[in-house]
Amino acid sequence: MTSTHYDVAIIGAGPGGYVSAISAAQRGAKVAIVEKQYMGGTCLNVGCIPSKAMLHIAETLHNLESAADLGIMLQQSPVFNMPRAVAFKDKVVKRMTGGVSTLMKGNNVDVFDGIGTVDASKTVSVQKSDGSSSEFTADKIILATGSVPFIPPMPGVDGDHVMNSDTCWNLPKTPESLVCVGGGVIGIELACMFNALGTKVTILEMLPDVLAPVDAEVRKLLVRILGKRGITIVTNAKVEGIEDEGGQKKVNVSTEQGAVSYNAEYVLLAVSRRANTTGLEKLFEFGLDTDRGRVRVNEHMETNLPGIYAIGDLVHGAGLAHVASTEGEVAAVNATGQNVKMSYDVIPNPIYTFPEIAFVGITEAVAREKYPEARIERFPWTAIGKAVAIGETEGFTKVIIGKYGEILGAHIIGPDATNLITEYSLAMRGELTVDEIADTIHPHPTLSEGLREAILAAEGHPIHIPPKQAARAAR
Ligand code: FAD
Ligand code: NAI
């Protein structure tokens, strides 16, 4: 047993934890971080990064379908090789997680491998996988233990060929067929990916719509696009259990019309995530406050136990890596003696389907209910030169503008939406008005012109579509 004292100790090295470690160290603190499984957490190992690597491969394959239109004549149909794709994904993950370790070293953060357990006196015990342990104390603790897939309590979830987002990344071959339980972000992104890799995909969603938080018009277009690609989406379909039948999985579903079932080679469970509270048991005994399974924090990211902060998927935030990182920075600043608040006012949401979706602020439905004076307009990619040049004209940009000319919400479905949304996020954060965006020269030909044109359309004077199409703006 060794014993040392730190200014700040962080439990969990996901995008919440490792960013807070860097942030605290750069403020002069002596910092330790404990990680039980993998540097970079869910995001870098089984979440954001591997999914985007595999989606990139899937989209490349999808784009080859129209290669001939660009004069690229393939001698034969492309053959997808899953082991090679997995090797590419592994290389990406290794590079990114190695980068986190390098960053820890570069910022003089001490890394402890093992399960960290914290008690109320801020003593951290680290249990290594070889059975050895160590212990240290800290003035401040940041809990960043993240989340794990929620496995619903129903029959068959632990059977063969039943996967979740922790276990679906190293398949030996492309599944012939897949039933995806849940049409949330994970279900939809992975359905898009597997479909492009050649799998027959069925999504079963218990709500009336998939991607419930997404603007209805955007969601409707995506559902139509995915349907055209052969993805079956069944809504109002609550999965009740999974069985084996004739060498396949049989997924039992209750619908308004009664019980039905869907068969497939694999099942993917994507029915949300739950907080990972490993190592926090002693804190719970000491009264660490929770709310519906997540640790409760105030706007400084501090729990009810003074000097103990919690961030990321462990708390009720947004379930997004960039929000976990921002919360980590806020906690680190507060843990090192300053006093800042976390703001959830402007949170960009990216969804990596192809076409991509991204949004920030309120939806059209909320605007119509709460801000009847809001101007709402959409501008199609078909009228943007760059989108036409790259052959990606499906979709649009929609803006929702308040009475002072402020942006209340923005929704993009189309090429590079996840990057483009940053312009609107910055405008919202900086309280820019639409005039200021319209007065900003946007480079040509770029997709960013579509963002300015959407604003002009809402103002009633778009350049690249006839103004009459902007009639909704006047409503
Ligand atoms: P995590 O990343 O879960 O990290 C927590 C870490 O703590 C883990 O490494 C865990 O091993 C460690 N840990 C837990 N308990 C202990 C303990 N007692 N001792 C030591 N270590 C411990 N978000 C986006 O913004 N964009 C995306 O594109 C995106 N894609 C996703 C795709 C998938 C398939 C999934 C599953 C998630 C995706 N997310 C995405 C969500 C994102 O991964 C999470 O919001 C983010 O990882 C949360 O970060 P975190 O640091 O709170 O927790
Ligand atoms: P989710 O909460 O987004 O969606 C789960 C879906 O499953 C819901 O629509 C729910 O109604 C449905 N469902 C639950 N039980 C069901 C049942 N028995 N039968 C049928 N449907 C059922 O959760 P998901 O997709 O697991 O994602 C978890 C989190 O990961 C998200 O909240 C998101 O924050 C994060 N994430 C973010 C990504 C991004 O930013 N691009 C990508 C992937 C994940």
Side-chain angles (χ1 to χ4, degrees):
M1 283 263 193
T2 55
S3 188
T4 326
H5 186 76
Y6 288 91
D7 299 322
V8 182
I10 294 137
I11 315 298
Y18 85 75
V19 170
S20 66
I22 293 170
S23 192
Q26 289 181 355
R27 285 175 167 74
K30 183 179 179 200
V31 180
I33 190 163
V34 189
E35 172 52 51
K36 71 175 170 62
Q37 196 173 358
Y38 30 39
M39 296 303 283
T42 302
C43 181
L44 271 60
N45 292 277
V46 288
C48 329
I49 296 299
S51 65
K52 269 78 247 185
M54 291 301 290
L55 275 157
H56 166 68
I57 294 169
E59 188 173 7
T60 304
L61 198 55
H62 170 76
N63 288 342
L64 288 179
E65 284 170 20
S66 47
D69 297 345
L70 309 181
I72 302 168
M73 311 313 289
L74 301 171
Q75 299 289 325
Q76 54 188 23
S77 300
V79 178
F80 175 66
N81 182 304
M82 182 65 100
R84 289 185 75 124
V86 169
F88 170 79
K89 180 267 301 173
D90 286 344
K91 210 163 79 185
V92 171
V93 168
K94 194 169 168 206
R95 184 163 168 182
M96 297 303 297
T97 54
V100 174
S101 297
T102 307
L103 286 170
M104 293 300 102
K105 215 178 263 171
N107 284 281
N108 296 316
V109 173
D110 287 349
V111 178
F112 290 79
D113 298 327
I115 300 175
T117 304
V118 186
D119 71 20
S121 67
K122 304 196 188 74
T123 300
V124 179
S125 318
V126 183
Q127 192 75 43
K128 290 182 85 158
S129 53
D130 64 7
S132 64
S133 65
S134 58
E135 200 171 276
F136 60 84
T137 50
D139 289 339
K140 302 283 165 63
I141 304 271
I142 299 175
L143 306 173
T145 51
S147 67
V148 288
F150 172 65
I151 307 299
M154 61 188 186
V157 288
D158 45 10
D160 241 22
H161 283 208
V162 180
M163 320 181 277
N164 59 56
S165 63
D166 275 359
T167 59
C168 67
W169 302 115
N170 297 315
L171 291 175
K173 64 169 191 61
T174 311
E176 269 164 30
S177 52
L178 171 79
V179 165
C180 188
V181 183
V185 198
I186 293 183
I188 293 287
E189 281 190 2
L190 293 193
C192 193
M193 176 191 100
F194 278 114
N195 165 261
L197 300 182
T199 303
K200 182 180 176 313
V201 179
T202 304
I203 298 172
L204 302 175
E205 167 57 52
M206 70 179 183
L207 297 178
D209 290 300
V210 295
L211 291 180
V214 173
D215 184 89
E217 200 176 3
V218 170
R219 182 204 307 141
K220 222 164 118 187
L221 176 58
L222 183 75
V223 165
R224 208 171 69 218
I225 292 169
L226 297 185
K228 273 200 283 185
R229 288 193 201 146
I231 297 178
T232 304
I233 299 179
V234 188
T235 53
N236 294 308
K238 183 165 194 281
V239 173
E240 306 278 10
I242 303 162
E243 298 174 60
D244 290 306
E245 184 180 79
Q248 288 222 312
K249 307 309 289 187
K250 179 183 174 201
V251 181
N252 297 318
V253 179
S254 67
T255 69
E256 281 162 355
Q257 289 73 41
V260 283
S261 65
Y262 294 84
N263 283 37
E265 186 187 4
Y266 280 87
V267 178
L268 175 76
L269 296 173
V271 295
S272 79
R273 297 177 63 79
R274 65 169 178 83
N276 179 6
T277 53
T278 313
L280 312 189
E281 299 79 4
K282 288 183 184 164
L283 293 177
F284 290 127
E285 281 168 24
F286 200 75
L288 179 67
D289 200 7
T290 57
D291 170 28
R292 289 163 292 144
R294 309 258 166 170
V295 171
R296 198 196 286 271
V297 287
N298 61 21
E299 55 198 1
H300 306 283
M301 306 311 300
E302 194 170 16
T303 68
N304 62 318
L305 306 179
I308 299 188
Y309 299 81
I311 59 168
D313 282 10
L314 178 63
V315 305
H316 278 294
L320 296 170
H322 41 288
V323 177
S325 298
T326 308
E327 291 168 340
E329 286 170 349
V330 168
V333 170
N334 291 329
T336 50
Q338 290 177 50
N339 188 10
V340 292
K341 290 180 186 172
M342 177 66 200
S343 165
Y344 295 97
D345 289 348
V346 181
I347 303 225
N349 279 265
I351 302 179
Y352 295 84
T353 42
F354 28 98
E356 290 185 346
I357 289 175
F359 59 97
V360 59
I362 61 173
T363 60
E364 177 166 352
V366 172
R368 294 211 177 278
E369 197 188 314
K370 289 197 178 156
Y371 302 92
E373 73 286 2
R375 281 166 293 156
I376 302 169
E377 196 45 86
R378 66 211 263 293
F379 190 89
W381 291 113
T382 44
I384 292 296
K386 178 68 186 285
V388 176
I390 63 173
E392 296 201 42
T393 50
E394 257 174 332
F396 55 85
T397 297
K398 178 194 283 191
V399 283
I400 301 165
I401 298 170
K403 62 177 168 194
Y404 305 110
E406 79 279 22
I407 296 177
L408 297 172
H411 305 266
I412 308 173
I413 173 165
D416 223 11
T418 60
N419 278 317
L420 292 170
I421 200 67
T422 304
E423 176 170 334
Y424 286 138
S425 305
L426 188 64
M428 286 176 76
R429 182 73 191 164
E431 297 182 3
L432 298 184
T433 62
V434 289
D435 292 347
E436 288 162 312
I437 298 176
D439 287 348
T440 302
I441 298 176
H442 286 61
H444 175 77
T446 63
L447 297 168
S448 72
E449 291 171 288
L451 308 191
R452 179 172 177 270
E453 283 272 18
I455 301 259
L456 296 180
E459 298 280 273
H461 46 79
I463 305 293
H464 289 95
I465 53 173
K468 65 176 166 35
Q469 285 189 25
R472 287 189 337 144
R475 261 194 246 145

